[in-house]
Amino acid sequence: MENTVKQLVEKYGNDRSRLMDILIDIQETTGYINSEAIEEIAQLLAMSRIDVEQTITFYHFFSTKPKGKYAVYLNTSPVAYMFGREAVKETFEKELGIKFGDVTKDGLVGLYDTPCIGMNDQEPAAIINHKIFTRLTPYRVREIVKLMKEGKNMDELRNESYGDGKNHLPSLRSMVSSNIRRKGMILSDDYQSGTVIRDFLPKMSPESVIAEIKHSHIRGRGGAGFPTGLKWEFCRRAKGSKHYVVCNADEGEPGTFKDRVILTEKPELVFEGMALAGYAIGGDEGILYLRYEYRYLNNYLLEVLQNMRDNNLLGKNISGIEGFDFDIRIQFGAGSYVCGEETALLESLEGKRGEPRDKPPFPVEKGYLGQPTIVNNVETFATAVRIVQNGGEWFTQFGTEDSTGTKILSISGDCMFPGVYEVNWGFNVEDMLNMVGAYEVQAVQVGGPSGTLIGPEEFHRTLGYSDLSTGGSMIIFNKQRNLLRDVVVNFMEFFIDESCGSCSTCRNMTQVLNNKLKKILVGKGVPKDLIDLKSWSKNLIASRCGLGQTAANPIISSLKNFPHLYSALIQKDKQFDEGFDMEKAIQASCTYVGRVPNLNHH
Ligand code: SF4
């Protein structure tokens, strides 16, 4: 083990900012990170043991104890439950004789819950040793367990062959469906990869690239909506010994999966957008921060990057432009939702716990390793290429005045055609429901748990920054679903698990609110509990980052839009029985927090 650790640390240049890579490699090599390895890493990197342990314990996929030769991570998103998760879970437990959270006595299999793994359109889904298993059924689980007991490898487990080293895409598509249902400028097949770098950049200055991006009025596609052109301009002007381009591919918001599809189907477009951004801001290094749940894409993406180098679309003097040097590496996370927040992501990139930083300074001034850095979403980089190709003016034809261009939606839940849809901003919810074949709809969760839960009276609303802002996640619930038990509680528990724990509001109040919600759900709530839910939720605004600031949104938006679900469960006392309209009172005192513009997920 000592040799392995030493070799791995050396592989990453004895660089402590590469601690995540070192830990991921050890975890994958030995199945866990033991005490000796921690000590060895600390010594080799001249860090304290506590610092190494802090990073390990922060992330879901690291462990200091053996996790089993086969580590099964079963998704806990509401859609997984809607499509049979409970039966899948029970079958795993019955076949293996253990509960979730345990490892079999012989160390063969460990069973674990994990939040949304980006497969909402093909649930129930699980990750087993970095491979994805979708549309699980009890029958399929019995087959998988039998093969695990026979010691089969992962390819045999999936009954498919993966990657001959030449073309990974067919096997990726057989593992996970892309489910592209509607194409627009990003997902269309009419773009020849490399066109902008080859044919446009040699004739454009970095300033003119930024001018086109600004003219397009594109705003960040991660949900926060900051103007992309301004971000690039600020970064270009910021002083630093190096400028960095970071692509946020940590889409952890339950219900979102469009970045997974873009990276599967259009990775060249994303990497070209990163190179374009590097040219614009004067940076020569790009990092794709990819969530660990998408580890299965690694070899494929490395192959795409190499092809781009071979074609002079990355590397030195790109496309013959003297001094235009730019390359990209992939950095994996290790399972943490808050790392979608840009400063938490930067901390993680530096090998630390993914705790959001205080702002200012903003990343454009002091980002990765203290240098000027732009952090943009996968979709934003892909869109930037089409903007430079066609011009900022062309782009403004699509969408609305304050929300230009297209938006890629991840649509899942109770509909006939779940998947990825690229639509113009300004699309309304009613049309969206018709498009995906959704009937008897009770509610739509727009923008994941930090977004809002709307009912039919709001289906006329449109997608856009001035109305329903969204990073792209849309989950549909029909009239048979129990919204409070199966959705609101699930989302609150998600926030409780994912809080980094820095702020007492976020750490404690989410628990308190969830306990109160559960009290109401078991029929023990009184009107005062609803008043408390509303007023106590406001305390979360004081949290440092968007996770805490929006963590009460599942409760606030369900109270506002579905007051009858709460009032039906409340024990009325005399004071409220006499002519008191509880639903009206609930709605009148609800303040929806809305999306807070510093949580940059997806
Ligand atoms: Fe951490 Fe929550 Fe505070 Fe964000 S709001 S910094 S996730 S404790």
Side-chain angles (χ1 to χ4, degrees):
M1 182 68 173
E2 263 185 32
N3 276 343
T4 311
V5 171
K6 193 161 183 294
Q7 283 162 6
L8 285 175
V9 173
E10 280 170 2
K11 177 177 154 192
Y12 295 106
N14 293 297
D15 180 352
R16 59 197 286 179
S17 74
R18 302 297 298 273
L19 182 60
M20 291 291 285
D21 294 301
I22 295 165
L23 295 174
I24 287 170
D25 280 3
I26 295 174
Q27 177 78 46
E28 291 185 352
T29 307
T30 60
Y32 70 116
I33 305 161
N34 68 23
S35 181
E36 293 76 36
I38 294 170
E39 196 62 47
E40 177 85 351
I41 294 167
Q43 281 179 16
L44 290 165
L45 295 179
M47 300 172 72
S48 73
R49 185 188 167 97
I50 297 289
D51 278 342
V52 179
E53 284 177 335
Q54 278 207 58
T55 297
I56 293 171
T57 53
F58 187 81
Y59 298 92
H60 295 310
F61 291 105
F62 290 146
S63 173
T64 54
K65 293 191 186 122
K67 300 220 93 176
K69 183 180 168 201
Y70 301 98
V72 178
Y73 288 90
L74 187 60
N75 187 4
T76 58
S77 79
V79 175
Y81 283 97
M82 285 157 60
F83 288 89
R85 183 192 193 274
E86 210 49 39
V88 166
K89 173 182 178 250
E90 280 167 14
T91 311
F92 268 122
E93 291 183 334
K94 189 164 163 240
E95 294 295 310
L96 290 161
I98 55 170
K99 294 284 178 199
F100 265 68
D102 293 338
V103 182
T104 53
K105 279 197 186 115
D106 58 2
L108 187 71
V109 186
L111 297 176
Y112 309 96
D113 291 325
T114 195
C116 192
I117 61 172
M119 302 290 155
N120 247 22
D121 55 339
Q122 40 214 301
E123 290 292 350
I127 304 172
I128 308 179
N129 297 8
H130 336 303
K131 295 280 166 104
I132 304 290
F133 293 73
T134 58
R135 299 186 178 95
L136 289 170
T137 59
Y139 181 83
R140 183 77 178 110
V141 169
R142 280 191 285 275
E143 276 184 336
I144 290 170
V145 170
K146 179 170 173 286
L147 292 168
M148 288 194 291
K149 285 179 177 172
E150 289 169 7
K152 302 287 187 191
N153 66 33
M154 294 311 299
D155 293 345
E156 289 169 317
L157 220 62
R158 285 190 47 80
N159 200 22
E160 285 161 63
S161 129
Y162 288 105
D164 56 7
K166 294 181 189 124
N167 186 1
H168 292 89
L169 194 52
S171 57
L172 289 179
R173 284 177 176 150
S174 71
M175 194 189 302
V176 176
S177 308
S178 288
N179 282 337
I180 295 177
R181 308 279 190 183
R182 185 182 166 115
K183 296 182 179 183
M185 67 176 79
I186 312 302
L187 297 172
S188 77
D189 298 317
D190 65 356
Y191 180 72
Q192 178 71 36
S193 175
T195 300
V196 159
I197 289 182
R198 254 193 302 263
D199 301 343
F200 289 73
L201 288 198
K203 298 177 217 148
M204 293 177 82
S205 66
E207 289 81 3
S208 59
V209 169
I210 291 176
E212 286 301 334
I213 301 291
K214 279 174 79 176
H215 187 62
S216 73
H217 300 293
I218 180 178
R219 297 164 67 161
R221 294 325 200 210
F226 190 82
T228 304
L230 268 187
K231 185 182 273 191
W232 291 16
E233 188 170 64
F234 290 154
C235 190
R236 178 166 181 80
R237 286 187 188 158
K239 293 204 176 4
S241 56
K242 206 167 153 63
H243 287 54
Y244 290 97
V245 174
V246 172
C247 179
N248 185 347
D250 193 49
E251 59 171 356
E253 190 96 73
T256 188
F257 47 85
K258 50 106 183 162
D259 289 347
R260 181 249 298 163
V261 174
I262 298 171
L263 283 169
T264 305
E265 302 297 335
K266 303 286 169 193
E268 295 93 348
L269 198 61
V270 179
F271 294 144
E272 190 172 354
M274 290 174 71
L276 175 69
Y279 181 74
I281 67 163
D284 65 0
E285 187 173 342
I287 306 170
L288 174 74
Y289 184 90
L290 187 55
R291 67 188 308 223
Y292 191 78
E293 288 81 350
Y294 299 163
R295 183 76 168 164
Y296 73 101
L297 292 174
N298 190 30
N299 288 340
Y300 165 62
L301 294 176
L302 290 174
E303 179 186 66
V304 171
L305 286 172
Q306 191 53 49
N307 280 340
M308 291 180 74
R309 284 182 202 111
D310 294 345
N311 288 294
N312 194 219
L313 296 171
L314 290 174
K316 300 269 182 211
N317 299 322
I318 294 170
S319 195
I321 304 171
E322 192 67 30
F324 178 22
D325 302 341
F326 190 82
D327 212 331
I328 296 171
R329 74 174 173 88
I330 301 173
Q331 171 69 66
F332 279 92
S336 164
Y337 167 72
V338 74
C339 287
E341 195 277 342
E342 60 180 3
T343 61
L345 184 153
L346 293 171
E347 288 288 295
S348 181
L349 269 184
E350 294 178 7
K352 302 174 200 157
R353 290 163 65 83
E355 289 182 12
R357 299 173 180 170
D358 286 324
K359 291 191 267 192
F362 291 94
V364 288
E365 296 172 304
K366 279 191 187 308
Y368 180 55
L369 301 176
Q371 300 299 325
T373 304
I374 54 163
V375 183
N376 280 124
N377 169 259
V378 169
E379 187 181 346
T380 311
F381 283 120
T383 310
V385 176
R386 304 309 305 262
I387 291 170
V388 171
Q389 181 199 11
N390 297 290
E393 183 63 30
W394 165 84
F395 188 76
T396 59
Q397 296 168 42
F398 302 94
T400 66
E401 198 172 340
D402 77 332
S403 308
T404 53
T406 62
K407 182 78 198 83
I408 302 182
L409 304 175
S410 314
I411 305 178
S412 63
D414 291 313
C415 61
M416 290 170 69
F417 310 109
V420 161
Y421 294 74
E422 185 173 358
V423 300
N424 289 346
W425 280 112
F427 211 73
N428 86 23
V429 176
E430 188 74 58
D431 289 342
M432 185 272 289
L433 293 171
N434 288 332
M435 179 173 70
V436 303
Y439 305 100
E440 298 280 299
V441 179
Q442 179 182 190
V444 179
Q445 181 73 33
V446 180
S450 63
T452 183
L453 186 67
I454 61 170
E457 60 287 354
E458 294 193 79
F459 290 170
H460 62 279
R461 293 179 65 184
T462 58
L463 304 179
Y465 294 103
S466 58
D467 191 356
L468 280 174
S469 171
T470 174
S473 166
M474 311 285 273
I475 309 178
I476 299 162
F477 303 102
N478 69 24
K479 291 185 174 156
Q480 275 70 54
R481 306 297 175 187
N482 183 327
L483 288 184
L484 300 189
R485 187 194 64 203
D486 300 339
V487 182
V488 180
V489 170
N490 183 296
F491 286 164
M492 289 309 294
E493 292 185 343
F494 170 77
F495 284 125
I496 290 167
D497 283 346
E498 297 296 332
S499 167
C500 82
S502 284
C503 316
S504 58
T505 43
C506 176
R507 189 176 64 240
N508 299 321
M509 192 49 75
T510 45
Q511 289 273 12
V512 171
L513 293 173
N514 197 39
N515 288 343
K516 202 163 262 295
L517 183 60
K518 285 180 169 171
K519 177 187 166 196
I520 293 168
L521 279 173
V522 295
K524 295 192 173 163
V526 294
K528 172 79 166 53
D529 290 319
L530 296 178
I531 293 162
D532 291 344
L533 277 182
K534 282 169 285 180
S535 60
W536 294 356
S537 291
K538 290 172 188 158
N539 294 331
L540 278 157
I541 295 292
S543 304
R544 191 196 305 162
C545 84
L547 187 153
Q549 289 160 352
T550 57
N553 280 0
I555 289 178
I556 295 171
S557 65
S558 56
L559 272 169
K560 178 174 176 283
N561 297 328
F562 301 90
H564 57 283
L565 299 179
Y566 286 91
S567 59
L569 293 165
I570 290 291
Q571 298 177 358
K572 294 181 183 177
D573 59 25
K574 277 191 186 148
Q575 179 193 348
F576 288 94
D577 274 344
E578 290 160 16
F580 182 79
D581 187 336
M582 192 179 304
E583 286 178 27
K584 248 190 186 150
I586 293 169
Q587 280 178 316
S589 56
C590 274
T591 313
Y592 170 56
V593 175
R595 293 191 74 82
V596 176
N598 66 351
L599 190 69
N600 186 15
H601 280 287
H602 319 293

